[in-house]
């Protein structure tokens, strides 16, 4: 008799679990920012020196800072602590509850990155006294987020805490840099005492290489009717995205009011940067003595030159996409039984 009773309980539990299996579709939106501590940094481009500084291939990739070292009464230098994951997010998840407490899911998250800005005012050997460089950068992109979902409450409970944990895999998007330079007393050829007023607008698009990180969240869900669940959560992400390629998309230059679009006059070496994990004597770089010059100049026999038709190669950098955030969303629970009686009323 006890065995029959035990088997009946197990059978009833199995039937209950089977009925508790269902798929779901969740949509949410929220906002994320750069973790709890102000330790993250974002990068920007700094022009080179001398007349060659007008060639983007002589630029350096440096951390963004706010700086004023031109006016002695306003001397100051400070870090721009932020992250590329700062901004609004739109999230879509499809999942399946294996039992009332555990499910697996696959999500897509689109980041509408906020603009991060910095201003540098300095007395530069090339750009002259009071040269101002302003940088704005932002990221838009789509990430794939596979993971699992845990619901910590009885199946019939309307209010339930939950946890989710998964991976972050960027699949589409780019980081955009907009650099504006205003140099009213630029000395393009040092030592001549000749000054020029220079203004430039440079736009750069940076694409990412394959990267992978982790994300997770904890929240509270409320199920007013069996068909619908409403949730709010705090979430976080640990992710550094590897740079793959940067492309100059705009280069407007004005010298003493004479404007020109220099983008069409530049070679691939000057407009495209390829990020690699190692550079050596065979790399397309000037680091080890290769010469970079315009195609219209003759090459000197015995000298080694970069390939102007190929991208400049530099060591790879990683962008900080660590973040914390929150989101609010709604879930549609989907099964035949729920669709027959979505409100749960008899």
């Amino acid at each position: 008799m006890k065995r029959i009773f035990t088997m009946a309980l197990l059978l009833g539990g199995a039937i209950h679990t089977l009925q508790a299996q269902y798929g779901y579709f969740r949509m949410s939106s929220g906002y994320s920012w750069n973790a709890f501590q102000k330790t993250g940094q974002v990068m920007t481009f700094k022009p080179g020196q001398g007349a060659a500084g007008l060639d983007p291939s002589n630029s350096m990739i440096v951390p963004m800072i706010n700086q004023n070292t031109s006016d002695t009464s306003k001397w100051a230098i400070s870090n721009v602590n932020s992250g590329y994951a700062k901004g609004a997010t739109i999230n879509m998840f499809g999942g399946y509850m294996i039992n009332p407490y555990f499910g697996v899911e696959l999500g897509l998250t689109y980041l509408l990155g906020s603009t991060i800005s910095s201003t540098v005012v300095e007395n530069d050997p090339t750009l002259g006294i009071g040269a101002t460089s302003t940088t704005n950068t932002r990221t838009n992109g789509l990430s794939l987020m596979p993971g699992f979902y845990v619901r910590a409450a009885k199946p019939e409970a309307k209010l339930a805490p939950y946890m989710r944990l998964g991976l972050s895999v960027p699949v589409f998007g780019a980081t955009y840099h907009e650099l504006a330079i205003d140099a009213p007393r630029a000395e393009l050829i040092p030592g001549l005492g000749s000054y020029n007023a220079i203004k430039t607008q440079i736009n750069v698009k940076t694409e990412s290489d394959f990267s992978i990180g982790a994300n997770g969240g904890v929240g509270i869900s409320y199920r007013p009717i069996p068909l619908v669940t409403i949730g709010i959560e705090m979430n976080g992400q640990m992710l550094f995205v590897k740079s793959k390629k940067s492309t100059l998309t705009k280069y407007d230059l004005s010298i003493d009011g004479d404007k020109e679009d220099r983008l069409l006059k530049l070679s691939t070496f000057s407009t495209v940067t390829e990020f690699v994990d190692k550079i050596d004597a065979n790399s397309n770089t000037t680091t080890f003595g290769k010469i970079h010059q315009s195609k219209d100049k003759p090459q000197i026999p015995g000298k080694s030159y970069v390939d102007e038709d190929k991208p400049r190669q530099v060591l790879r950098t990683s962008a900080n996409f660590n973040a914390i955030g929150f989101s609010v969303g709604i879930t549609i629970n989907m099964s035949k039984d729920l669709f027959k009686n979505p409100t749960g009323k008899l």
Side-chain angles (χ1 to χ4, degrees), residues 37-197:
Q37 292 183 311
K38 294 183 177 181
T39 56
Q41 286 188 304
V42 291
M43 310 301 287
T44 188
F45 293 84
K46 182 178 177 60
Q49 294 186 353
L54 297 177
D55 189 325
S57 66
N58 292 294
S59 65
M60 298 176 290
I61 301 172
V62 297
M64 285 178 65
I65 59 173
N66 287 316
Q67 172 181 320
N68 189 332
T69 53
S70 178
D71 186 344
T72 56
S73 65
K74 298 179 180 179
W75 274 356
I77 302 175
S78 61
N79 287 322
V80 176
N81 292 308
S82 192
Y84 292 103
K86 178 182 178 183
T89 58
I90 301 172
N91 317 292
M92 294 185 294
F93 289 85
Y96 183 77
M97 294 299 295
I98 298 172
N99 59 47
Y101 310 103
F102 183 82
V104 292
E105 61 182 25
L106 179 62
L108 290 172
T109 292
Y110 189 78
L111 170 67
L112 296 165
S114 296
T115 299
I116 304 167
S117 301
S118 72
T119 301
V120 173
V121 183
E122 60 183 337
N123 297 333
D124 183 84
T126 301
L127 298 178
I129 298 173
T132 301
S133 302
T134 303
T135 299
N136 294 313
T137 184
R138 71 187 190 283
T139 297
N140 296 333
L142 185 71
S143 293
L144 192 66
M145 302 175 71
F148 64 83
Y149 180 96
V150 177
R151 184 178 184 273
K154 294 180 179 180
E156 65 273 12
K158 289 190 173 184
L159 193 66
Y162 71 87
M163 178 189 75
R164 61 174 188 83
L165 184 64
L167 301 176
S168 294
V169 184
V171 294
F172 173 79
T175 297
Y176 302 89
H177 304 273
E178 298 176 355
L179 175 63
I181 300 174
D182 186 0
R185 287 176 58 82
E187 191 174 2
L188 295 181
I189 305 178
L192 292 184
S194 176
Y195 301 101
N196 304 93

Side-chain angles (χ1 to χ4, degrees), residues 223-238:
R223 189 167 58 195
I225 60 174
L227 186 66
V228 176
T229 301
I230 301 169
I232 182 170
E233 74 172 40
M234 291 292 297
N235 46 57
Q237 175 174 264
M238 294 182 62

